[in-house]
């Protein structure tokens, strides 16, 4: 077989790109990362979120056959920080439901974020330091679930109904009902290396 060769390279304005996930068509890569626009940590900038910010990156991949690029920027971003309730240390990414659902783990704020819809407000990565207000206020498109500990990498079940999350501080794998993220979600945990049992009840956080 032919040796692997690089097709394209994309610089990121920031640090710590997390677990990536492809769109169903395989032509777009999603990943969480920490955006750094060059702000300095003054009290005012910290209060406004102008030091670093959490983003989902959406990168249109170059055509390996050289078919040309679609119009618009290759890299766009979705700002995750809500005014007054910022997100911290984003790490894991899952694309589900044919690309209409995005799930992100945020270890620094001990939570899972769920986004729904075909037209999420991806823009230039530096466009805004806080989430689009309409998205932040729309529970049909944006939900948050606190799971305690430090959630990192994630894997979706074959039917898309359950999310398995590696939680570093809990030393456990958490099983989460995807449809309930942001509500009183059914969450079950098991020690690392052992499969979660069937959840016995419903509750927030990492309780078994």
């Amino acid at each position: 077989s032919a040796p692997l060769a690089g097709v394209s390279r994309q610089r990121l304005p920031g640090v710590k790109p997390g677990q990536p996930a492809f769109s169903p068509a395989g032509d777009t890569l999603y990943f969480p990362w920490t955006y750094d626009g060059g702000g300095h940590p003054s009290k005012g900038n910290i209060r406004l979120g102008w030091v670093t910010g959490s983003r989902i990156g959406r990168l249109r991949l170059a055509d390996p056959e050289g078919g040309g690029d679609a119009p618009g920027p290759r890299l766009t971003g979705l700002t995750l920080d809500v005014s007054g309730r910022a997100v911290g240390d984003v790490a894991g990414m899952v694309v589900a439901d044919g690309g209409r659902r995005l799930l992100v783990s945020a270890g620094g704020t001990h939570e899972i974020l769920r986004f729904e819809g075909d037209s999420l407000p991806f823009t230039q990565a530096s466009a805004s330091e806080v989430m689009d207000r309409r998205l932040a206020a729309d529970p049909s498109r944006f939900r948050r679930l606190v799971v305690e500990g430090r959630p990192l990498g994630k894997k979706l079940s074959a039917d898309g109904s359950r999310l398995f999350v590696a939680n570093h501080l809990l030393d456990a794998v958490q099983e989460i009902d995807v449809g309930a993220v942001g509500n009183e979600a059914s969450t079950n945990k098991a020690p690392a290396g052992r499969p979660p049992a069937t959840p016995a009840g419903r509750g927030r956080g990492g309780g078994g």
Side-chain angles (χ1 to χ4, degrees):
S1 61
L4 295 175
V7 174
S8 65
R9 178 179 294 181
Q10 176 71 46
R11 289 188 176 275
L12 289 179
V15 295
K16 296 177 63 178
Q19 174 188 3
F22 286 97
S23 64
D27 58 356
T28 303
L29 186 69
Y30 293 88
F31 58 93
W33 99 96
T34 300
Y35 172 79
D36 183 356
H40 59 281
S42 69
K43 289 183 179 179
N45 282 354
I46 291 172
R47 187 162 51 248
L48 294 171
W50 288 350
V51 181
T52 61
S54 298
R55 303 280 195 275
I56 295 175
R58 184 176 67 182
L59 179 63
R60 292 188 295 106
L61 301 179
D63 183 353
E65 303 299 326
D69 286 337
R74 289 188 61 218
L75 175 66
T76 52
L78 179 65
T79 300
L80 304 182
D81 297 311
V82 176
S83 181
R85 277 193 73 195
V87 171
D89 202 8
V90 287
M93 183 84 222
V94 165
V95 177
D97 194 19
R100 295 190 71 258
R101 175 177 290 163
L102 306 179
L103 296 157
V104 185
S105 57
T109 42
H110 326 293
E111 62 185 331
I112 303 295
L113 312 179
R114 186 186 81 187
F115 296 90
E116 304 272 353
D118 295 315
S119 56
L120 294 172
F122 280 88
T123 61
Q124 182 179 337
S126 61
S128 176
E129 296 301 330
V130 294
M131 184 183 292
D132 178 273
R133 290 184 179 184
R134 290 170 295 181
L135 176 60
D138 186 350
S140 69
R141 295 197 295 162
F142 173 54
R143 294 273 189 166
R144 305 172 79 153
L145 169 67
V146 175
V147 294
E148 302 178 358
R150 183 177 171 80
L152 298 174
K154 306 195 300 298
K155 179 72 174 179
L156 201 64
S157 64
D159 65 2
S161 67
R162 315 296 293 177
L163 185 69
F164 298 92
V165 182
N167 195 307
H168 175 64
L169 289 182
L170 297 182
D171 192 25
V173 175
Q174 292 176 290
E175 181 183 4
I176 297 171
D177 178 354
V178 172
V181 168
N183 302 316
E184 289 298 312
S186 176
T187 306
N188 186 46
K189 68 179 181 181
R194 287 166 47 190
T198 302
R202 303 179 69 84
R204 286 190 75 185

